[in-house]
Amino acid sequence: MPKKIKIKTHRGAAKRFKRTKGGKFLRSKAFKQHILSSKTTKRKRNLRGTTTVADVDAAKLARMLPYK
């Protein structure tokens, strides 16, 4: 009988995404790393925290993160 092959986790994706209890993925918001002086306080405040990944990208992430 052939051995069961383990799938490798995509390490870059593992550092950037987190799976919720319901199976969705969380990501941090973009445009909050640099050149913050030209962005308004309101815009920077709205970029705080995390948001869920779009459904079209979730299937791709599920393959990249099989054990997460």
Side-chain angles (χ1 to χ4, degrees):
M1 189 165 163
K3 278 188 186 177
K4 196 170 194 177
I5 299 172
K6 290 183 185 176
I7 304 168
K8 284 193 176 181
T9 299
H10 190 289
R11 297 312 297 161
K15 293 166 189 174
R16 287 170 174 83
F17 301 97
K18 191 173 154 182
R19 201 188 289 254
T20 63
K21 194 77 169 180
K24 292 184 176 183
F25 289 98
L26 291 177
R27 65 169 177 85
S28 59
K29 293 180 188 172
F31 306 109
K32 188 82 189 341
Q33 293 294 317
H34 62 109
I35 317 175
L36 298 173
S37 56
S38 62
K39 294 172 181 132
T40 63
T41 309
K42 180 181 177 181
R43 183 173 166 193
K44 288 185 278 192
R45 186 171 59 245
N46 288 331
L47 291 172
R48 280 184 204 154
T50 57
T51 184
T52 54
V53 170
D55 292 336
V56 290
D57 299 322
K60 193 180 287 185
L61 271 175
R63 285 195 301 273
M64 291 169 126
L65 304 169
Y67 307 110
K68 204 160 189 180

